[in-house]
Amino acid sequence: MPRRSPLALGLLGLAACLLAAPALGCGPGRGPVGRRRLGRRQLSPLLYKQFVPNVPEQTLGASGKAEGKVLRGSERFRDLVPNYNPDIIFKDEENTGADRLMTERCKERVNSLAIAVMNMWPGVKLRVTEGWDEDGHHLPDSLHYEGRALDITTSDRDRHKYGMLARLAVEAGFDWVYYESKAHVHVSVKADNSLAVRTGGCFPGHATVTLRSGERRGLADLRQGDWVLGAEPGGRLVPTEVLLFLDRDLGQRASFVAIETASPARRLLLTPSHLVFAARGAANGTAAFLPVFARRVRPGDAVLAHGAGGQGLRPARVLRVSREDGVGVFAPLTSHGTLLVNGVLASCYAVLESHRWAHRAFAPLRLFHGLLSLLPARAEAGNGTAPEAGMHWYSRLLYRLAGGVLGHEALQA
């Protein structure tokens, strides 16, 4: 017993720090799609052959390592999105629309840059000369093959503007900008997977949860201490307490995956790196359902939905999967690590594609709340404790620790 005392004290000390410490606010990269704010300061053009940041493109400090070519028709190809912004001119010399295809992050950045270009030079538009490459025109590890890189100019092709164009690209939030040639500027972004470092895993504020009384409540109105419906490992619905919010930001913009089902008809929105329980193809029981990133769900798969009339969980076939932008991100943590959102069973966790290990990692928080429930002061606090805004510091800490051991790429492979 004496040998266990230091460990027990250590756990209690750690648990006491978890909720006593204030939640961190939104760090660098948060805010609307992580763009830098354009101030009134004088912008200086990039010099020819200068790149920002001053590190190689495929390093963690810039756009990160290449993840391999994205081939037309492959599963990763579905993650590329077309850009039909009328304020951008796409050269598209192949006449295939390939230059319009890019990752969500790249699309957000280039749309922001298009606005900056028109503000800087009225009557001039941004021009994209090279985007996603499916024809092998670049070096083998080029990010063009993944829809993460663009070559850009201005519509008037005035080369005297390209140094300032590169600076505007930096301000628009591209992860690496290179004044590569007298004929164009090269820009690139991190993989959308790594975006989970900033956006984590969340649901929109208008999503609803089911209280143990059967009442529906919006996530924006949910409070610490409320009891909602979640599920045990075997799939049985149980009441579970909301311990805290891993992230809560009313003004944060995010890109959500929209999963629509039939029989019962449900529509769940959650961020791409959030875990949802799904099965490939038709499934009759709950055993075949595994936690996967929302971005991996495809039409024809099945998710677990709450049946009508107070029935338990039942498989629901996915009809459509799409992307949808929204404002407000909410990530409640329950004692069971699961909850029903818009009638679909989802995990409370994200980034690491293992619900079991993520649930174990948050054991100190559950331990702390278990100890608090034994104190008389707990009854005085009651339900409805207002959550603090921002991402919880423990979530960031766990991700950094895991990233240091496994590597950030491994967390979101």
Side-chain angles (χ1 to χ4, degrees):
M1 187 66 182
R3 292 183 179 180
R4 296 183 181 180
S5 296
L7 175 60
L9 290 174
L11 287 174
L12 288 174
L14 173 61
C17 293
L18 295 180
L19 272 79
L24 287 182
C26 303
R30 291 185 64 82
V33 299
R35 303 188 189 104
R36 302 185 183 193
R37 294 183 178 179
L38 297 178
R40 296 181 180 274
R41 61 185 175 81
Q42 187 70 28
L43 298 178
S44 58
L46 263 66
L47 302 176
Y48 181 55
K49 293 297 182 182
Q50 181 183 359
F51 44 87
V52 176
N54 190 28
V55 295
E57 180 179 27
Q58 295 190 25
T59 59
L60 288 178
S63 294
K65 296 179 181 179
E67 298 183 345
K69 293 183 179 181
V70 175
L71 303 178
R72 189 180 290 272
S74 67
E75 184 163 330
R76 291 177 61 205
F77 178 75
R78 301 180 187 180
D79 293 331
L80 300 184
V81 293
N83 192 332
Y84 296 109
N85 189 336
D87 297 325
I88 303 175
I89 297 173
F90 292 89
K91 186 177 179 181
D92 194 21
E93 57 189 354
E94 299 89 357
N95 292 319
T96 61
D99 289 338
R100 293 182 180 272
L101 294 174
M102 56 193 71
T103 63
E104 286 279 356
R105 183 173 178 82
C106 190
K107 181 179 178 179
E108 291 169 349
R109 299 304 186 263
V110 76
N111 286 346
S112 176
L113 177 58
I115 296 173
V117 167
M118 292 189 297
N119 289 338
M120 178 64 70
W121 302 293
V124 177
K125 291 186 176 183
L126 178 65
R127 177 170 173 260
V128 174
T129 61
E130 286 287 340
W132 175 61
D133 180 9
E134 60 178 333
D135 298 321
H137 293 158
H138 295 83
L139 294 176
D141 62 347
S142 171
L143 299 184
H144 280 285
Y145 296 122
E146 302 177 29
R148 293 166 52 192
L150 303 172
D151 292 340
I152 58 175
T153 71
T154 55
S155 59
D156 59 2
R157 307 185 195 183
D158 182 354
R159 298 187 178 186
H160 294 94
K161 293 186 172 77
Y162 292 175
M164 182 56 73
L165 176 63
R167 174 56 64 187
L168 293 178
V170 173
E171 297 297 318
F174 280 97
D175 296 304
W176 199 70
V177 178
Y178 181 26
Y179 190 176
E180 181 179 28
S181 162
K182 291 290 186 180
H184 70 263
V185 174
H186 176 83
V187 297
S188 62
V189 297
K190 297 180 184 295
D192 278 355
N193 296 350
S194 64
L195 194 57
V197 179
R198 296 167 177 80
T199 60
C202 305
F203 308 96
H206 58 74
T208 62
V209 295
T210 304
L211 303 183
R212 62 178 171 182
S213 63
E215 174 192 350
R216 294 290 185 88
R217 178 169 297 178
L219 281 177
D221 299 319
L222 193 65
R223 294 292 182 265
Q224 177 182 332
D226 288 342
W227 285 76
V228 300
L229 289 185
E232 293 180 327
R236 186 173 68 92
L237 288 176
V238 292
T240 182
E241 185 182 6
V242 176
L243 305 181
L244 51 81
F245 279 79
L246 300 177
D247 200 355
R248 187 179 190 276
D249 193 329
L250 293 170
Q252 168 71 24
R253 293 190 61 85
S255 176
F256 297 98
V257 174
I259 300 173
E260 300 180 53
T261 69
S263 186
R266 300 286 186 265
R267 192 169 191 269
L268 172 67
L269 270 70
L270 66 174
T271 46
S273 63
H274 202 104
L275 294 178
V276 62
F277 297 92
R280 294 296 184 196
N284 296 322
T286 60
F289 288 81
L290 300 174
V292 298
F293 289 144
R295 60 183 170 84
R296 299 195 194 277
V297 177
R298 296 289 181 262
D301 293 348
V303 294
L304 288 171
H306 190 200
Q311 298 177 3
L313 294 173
R314 53 180 289 188
R317 187 172 63 88
V318 176
L319 288 179
R320 283 177 294 275
V321 179
S322 58
R323 294 292 182 107
E324 184 174 311
D325 293 335
V327 179
V329 292
F330 298 83
L333 174 66
T334 67
S335 56
H336 285 78
T338 59
L339 73 168
L340 283 177
V341 180
N342 288 359
V344 178
L345 183 66
S347 169
C348 293
Y349 309 116
V351 180
L352 178 66
E353 201 168 19
S354 172
H355 175 83
R356 177 182 299 178
W357 282 106
H359 194 58
R360 289 174 178 173
F362 282 90
L365 286 177
R366 297 194 300 277
L367 170 63
F368 180 76
H369 279 273
L371 294 174
L372 280 184
S373 66
L374 301 177
L375 301 178
R378 181 67 172 174
E380 297 176 7
N383 292 348
T385 303
E388 298 188 49
M391 183 179 289
H392 197 278
W393 70 272
Y394 190 63
S395 302
R396 290 181 182 270
L397 174 63
L398 285 181
Y399 185 84
R400 288 171 183 168
L401 290 175
V405 175
L406 303 175
H408 294 295
E409 291 82 2
L411 289 180
Q412 301 153 2

